[in-house]
Amino acid sequence: MERSQRTCAPSDRPLPPWDSIQWKTLEGKVRKLQNRIAKAFREGRMNKVKALQYLLTRSLAAKALAVRRVTTNPGKSTPGVDRIVWKTPQQKRDALTLLKRRHYHALPLRRVFIPKKNGKLRPLGIPTMKDRAMQALHLMALLPISEETADLNSYGFRPYRSTADAIEACFIYLSRRSAPEWVLEGDITGCFDNISHDWLLRHVPLDKRMLAQWLKSGVIDRRRLFPTQAGTPQGGIVSATLCNMTLDGLEGTLKTLFPRNRVHMVRFADDFVITGDSKELLENEVRPVVETFLKERGLELSKEKTSITHITEGVDFLGQHLRKYGHRKQLLITPARKNTQAFLTKVRNSVRSCKAAPQEKLIATLNPVVRGWALFHRHCVAAQVYKWVDAQLFHYVWHWARRRHPDKRCDWTTRRYFRTLGKRDWVFMPPGKESEPLFSASSVPIARHVKIKQHARPFHPEWDPYLAARKLAAKARNALKAFWSILS
């Protein structure tokens, strides 16, 4: 207890046992400091900003929230190079005494590879639990500033913003008959791996010693240490915010240079689209501006993946396909074909991996995948795609059932594995009233998403009622989703 008390700011009090901490109270304390940081930054008082950041990163409340974040996220059981994870309440409480700036040295990242859609491997760097907690702690001090400097149409890895907001912004800029009809689809080559360290250290208002350690920590791959000369640790908590701050300002630059042209930009992390009135405008004027902006930060556009497309030919963005149809130029947003095919491939592989598993295990494996994909696309024109996907799912589970009983008649297989549920026939479901059926994508109703207002900022007190109302509406929708899953 005494050790925990010495690590906190003078105004902090010792924490109670980990399982009885009042998290709402700690979040309120940290939120007040973040609001003060944002206000001082708006007023240009950088010395005040640094003092408040110093106070926040040494607050016991912020340290507890940082430890909670790294011990509750999906990677909580993935260790770094030291093979240490924090599982028990005592380990989490003891971790608070480790989050000190003095004598802190970041350990190298543990290199892992995950498959990409094109068959290649994406490298990830896994920091240790202590490094992750330190990043989460200092991110709380950086986030208010990154939100103040963020582009209006930047939607990736930001509070209260999502892919649905980015797609709705595209709809607003492209749906009108008089809207620009050419779209530049931008793809940055290895964005996270190539950001200039010098640029980050000069422009990111964060403790330079801490930031430099995370950037220069190195990577251990196959028991060998490799230095990191550029880029941010893609598996680190602070990486997404650093990427956003690197690309922030591009939208404002385009607005300044092309005030009379309908050049609009929508960005989600390192993926972005830019609209324009003509192909020549995007190719000869807009693209050079983007390339110059990126070059200053050590980045460049991918020549293979960056393209300029007419809206009547269709554009894929964030798993959705945006395209205008007919002489009325009606914009329809549907699930992208590549996204749907990747989803069905994942479903097929799941079915094949459960060849000998019971029906309950197969349903428990498929339902989270199907439900997640269907809910992701529920804001676009997806009803017909949902029906086709349900037909494919039936095809997969039927062949799974027939393979298990090749000598049985089809009517026997039907009685064994399929039920009538309400108005639905041929529901893949084990016997029993409390059994879980296979989720139907068509059971998800299509609902138009209400985009967040561009100027809404989470660290402006005047926006708190608006953001609280959106959060409450999101909770109501989540409760309704759970009700759908029960009914389906």
Side-chain angles (χ1 to χ4, degrees), residues 69 81 99 102 104 118 133 146 213 275 291 356 364 395 486:
R69 176 172 180 176
V81 293
L99 304 185
R102 181 179 296 180
Y104 170 75
N118 57 8
S146 68
Q213 288 202 55
T275 66
E291 291 176 341
H395 175 78
I486 293 174

Side-chain angles (χ1 to χ4, degrees), residues 293-420:
F293 181 91
L294 296 178
K295 187 176 181 180
E296 296 175 357
R297 292 152 174 79
L299 303 173
E300 61 180 4
L301 288 176
S302 171
K303 296 181 180 179
E304 297 79 15
K305 297 181 180 180
T306 300
S307 61
I308 299 175
T309 311
H310 197 271
I311 192 61
T312 57
E313 299 177 7
V315 175
D316 286 350
F317 183 55
L318 301 179
Q320 316 279 6
H321 184 72
L322 299 84
R323 185 176 179 182
K324 280 189 173 181
Y325 297 85
H327 66 280
R328 293 186 177 181
K329 298 181 178 180
Q330 182 181 11
L331 180 70
L332 297 181
I333 302 177
T334 58
R337 181 173 298 179
K338 291 182 179 179
N339 180 274
T340 305
Q341 293 296 337
F343 159 70
L344 290 177
T345 299
K346 185 175 182 179
V347 170
R348 282 198 301 271
N349 293 336
S350 298
V351 174
R352 290 170 182 169
S353 65
C354 295
K355 287 181 179 179
Q359 187 180 11
E360 294 83 353
K361 176 65 180 302
L362 176 62
I363 293 175
T365 302
L366 293 180
N367 274 359
V369 179
V370 179
R371 184 183 293 110
W373 180 86
L375 293 177
F376 178 80
H377 292 287
R378 71 187 183 278
H379 301 304
C380 67
V381 184
Q384 294 299 322
V385 180
Y386 283 171
K387 293 180 180 179
W388 182 75
V389 164
D390 284 340
Q392 297 299 311
L393 290 174
F394 174 81
H395 175 78
Y396 299 153
V397 297
W398 174 259
H399 280 272
W400 175 88
R402 291 297 297 162
R403 179 189 175 278
R404 294 170 69 91
H405 308 283
D407 298 331
K408 296 291 186 179
R409 293 166 53 92
C410 290
D411 56 348
W412 184 94
T413 305
T414 302
R415 292 192 301 270
R416 173 65 176 80
Y417 291 103
F418 295 88
R419 306 283 178 270
T420 298

Side-chain angles (χ1 to χ4, degrees), residues 168 171-172 175 378-380 445-451 477:
E168 188 63 22
F171 181 84
I172 292 173
S175 60
R378 71 187 183 278
H379 301 304
C380 67
I446 305 299
R448 183 72 176 270
H449 178 73
V450 179
K451 189 181 82 68
R477 288 193 297 270

Side-chain angles (χ1 to χ4, degrees), residues 12 28 86 211 268 367 371:
D12 281 330
W86 300 332
L211 181 58
F268 189 93
N367 274 359
R371 184 183 293 110

